[in-house]
Amino acid sequence: MADALELQAHALLTAKAVRARAGQMLELGLAGGLTHFTVDLDRMDGVAEAVLAVTRKAYPTLDIPFHARWRHFVLGGIDRWARLADAASWPDRAARARAEFDLAIVSVLLDAGAGAAWRYRDAVTGADVGRSEGLAIASLDMFASGLFSHDARAPFRADADVLARLPLASLTSAFQVSDVNPLLGLEGRTDLLRRLGKQVSERADVFGLHDTPRPGGLFDHIAARAIGGTVAAPAILSAVLNQLGPIWPSRLELAGVPLGDCWRHPAIKADDGTAGLVPLHKLSQWLSYSLIEPLQRAGFEVTDIDGLTGLAEYRNGGLFVDHEVLRLREAADAERAHAVDSLLVVEWRALTVALLDRLAELVRVKLGRTSETLPLASILEGGTWAAGRAIAFARRRDGSPPLKVISDGTVF
C-alpha cells in the first residue's frame, strides 16, 4: 500500500497532474460547483484581444521569446547577464550552463512577490526598479559580486556550503531593505536559499557530478538523462520537483513525499489517495521554463515545451478576475486577505492554469499559429503576464492584484 501511495504522490509532481486537476476545477466552475467563483467564458475573447495588444506592442514582429527569468535581466535595453557571460572565459559550454543554472535557480527562488513599496536602486542606470524586475537585477548583482561563491576569483557560481549558511543580513543589505524600503517575505527567501544549500550538499550524487555541490549541478543530472541530445520540458520539471522538492517549507506530504506547491480542495475527485489534492508547482515551473535556454545554449534540443502549464500566479490570475471571466460569488472577498491554502486561492490559481490553456488556443487562432510556432511559454511572455499587470494598473493605481493573498515568500 505504501508503495502505491508513493507512486501516487510522485504522479502529483508532474505538469500532467497540474493540467488535469486544473481542468477538473474549471469544469466544476463551468457547472456552477465552486464555492467562491463563477466562470464566464464569453469574456475570453476580450482577454485574448488584450493579450494580443500588449504582445504586438512589446514584440511587433511576433518573434516572442519564452517567459523566463532571463527576460528580467534586461534593463535599459541591455541584457546584463548576456554581457557578463559573453565577456567571461568558459572552459566549455557545460561550465556556462552550470553557472546559468546556479543563477536561474537562486534568482527564481528569490522571486516571490516583492510588495508594492519595495524598490532596488540600480547602480548602473540610477533607476529605481520594483517588483520582479527589481528582484531579478538585485539577484544578478548578488551573483555577479560573488555573494554565493566560496571563491572570490570565481564569482559566477552558487556553492551549496555558502547558501546553507547565508546570513539574513547579507540579503537585507543586498536587497537594500530598510524601514522605508520594506520587502515582503525576506526571512522566507533567506530560509529557502539555506534549505537549497543544505539539500544540494546532501545530494552530491545529483549536484556534484562534475564539481563541488552547487545547484548548477542539476544541469549535469538532466544532461545525463538526455536521449539523443534531446530533453523534454516535463523532464526538466520532474528533475526540479524531485531533486529540489525537499527545500520547500513543510506543507502537504503523501507517503512521506513532500508535495510542494500542492493544496487541498474537497471538490477534486480521484479514485486513489490523491483525491482532494491540487498540484500547481508555480515557482518550479517558472524555474523549469528558465532552464530551457541554458540547455539550448549547451547544445540540447528541448521538446514538448507545451507539456509545461501556465503559471498559477497573481498577474495571470488577476487578468481573468479583472476581465470578469472569473467573478467572486461574495464581493466582500475582494476586500479580505486570504491565506495561500484557502479554498478561494486554490480555486483561483487552478482556474488560472486551465484558463491559460483556453486563452492560448484563442490567441493562436487569431494569429494563425500552432502550439509549435507559438508555444504557451511565448504567450505567457507576450502576453498574459504583461496584460495582467496592465489591467491591474488601469483598475488600481498601485497595480496591486484584484485579490489579496497572504504570502510567505515561497509561493508567488
Side-chain angles (χ1 to χ4, degrees), residues 118 172 175-183 186:
W118 178 80
T172 303
F175 275 126
Q176 303 171 359
V177 174
S178 66
D179 290 342
V180 296
N181 192 35
L183 176 65
L186 185 59

Side-chain angles (χ1 to χ4, degrees), residues 33-336:
L34 293 181
T35 308
H36 294 284
F37 289 95
T38 60
V39 184
D40 181 1
L41 291 183
D42 290 341
R43 301 187 71 85
M44 284 286 281
D45 192 71
V47 182
E49 290 296 336
V51 169
L52 280 172
V54 298
T55 299
R56 287 191 170 107
K57 184 176 181 181
Y59 301 100
T61 65
L62 297 180
D63 182 18
I64 310 163
F66 299 145
H67 189 55
R69 195 54 164 162
W70 309 106
R71 310 289 84 76
H72 290 155
F73 296 141
V74 179
L75 189 64
I78 296 170
D79 187 330
R80 298 284 179 84
W81 170 245
R83 176 173 284 189
L84 290 168
D86 291 346
S89 176
W90 307 102
D92 52 36
R93 289 193 294 184
R96 175 168 174 167
R98 287 182 204 109
E100 291 182 334
F101 266 55
D102 276 340
L103 173 57
I105 291 169
V106 169
S107 186
V108 166
L109 292 182
L110 290 171
D111 189 36
W118 178 80
R119 295 288 183 276
Y120 182 73
R121 174 63 60 88
D122 175 45
V124 177
T125 62
D128 287 329
V129 193
R131 302 186 186 272
S132 270
E133 293 87 345
L135 293 170
I137 295 299
S139 64
L140 177 58
D141 286 349
M142 295 177 210
F143 186 74
S145 73
L147 180 65
F148 309 117
S149 173
H150 60 204
D151 183 353
R153 296 163 299 177
F156 295 167
R157 56 185 296 128
D159 288 292
D161 54 347
V162 176
L163 293 170
R165 58 174 190 267
L166 190 70
L168 175 63
S170 292
L171 282 189
T172 303
S173 172
F175 275 126
Q176 303 171 359
V177 174
S178 66
D179 290 342
V180 296
N181 192 35
L183 176 65
L184 295 179
L186 185 59
E187 291 83 0
R189 295 168 213 261
T190 307
D191 184 54
L192 203 54
L193 290 191
R194 290 174 183 160
R195 286 169 174 265
L196 172 67
K198 184 170 182 288
Q199 171 69 5
V200 170
S201 293
E202 291 174 354
R203 294 303 307 274
D205 58 317
V206 173
F207 296 98
L209 293 174
H210 294 284
D211 202 342
T212 53
R214 55 192 285 199
L218 191 65
F219 165 76
D220 299 296
H221 175 79
I222 292 172
R225 284 155 179 75
I227 300 169
T230 298
V231 177
I236 301 172
L237 177 63
S238 178
V240 166
L241 288 171
N242 285 288
Q243 304 306 331
L244 299 179
I247 74 174
W248 299 105
S250 181
R251 293 192 180 110
L252 298 181
E253 290 189 357
L254 187 63
V257 177
L259 299 180
D261 184 6
C262 181
W263 312 91
R264 294 193 188 279
H265 196 292
I268 296 298
K269 305 300 181 190
D271 57 5
D272 61 18
T274 68
L277 295 175
V278 184
L280 294 163
H281 307 313
K282 181 263 169 176
L283 272 177
S284 295
Q285 294 206 80
W286 170 230
L287 175 55
S288 298
Y289 280 125
S290 300
L291 298 180
I292 292 173
E293 288 160 76
L295 282 161
Q296 290 174 328
R297 279 191 283 271
F300 292 91
E301 181 186 359
V302 180
T303 59
D304 193 17
I305 291 168
D306 265 23
L308 301 178
T309 78
L311 303 178
E313 49 83 46
Y314 66 84
R315 286 301 180 209
N316 288 325
L319 177 69
F320 296 115
V321 173
D322 279 336
H323 279 280
E324 298 181 23
V325 173
L326 297 178
R327 290 193 183 95
L328 289 167
R329 289 188 180 276
E330 297 287 339
D333 277 336
E335 305 307 318
R336 301 185 184 109

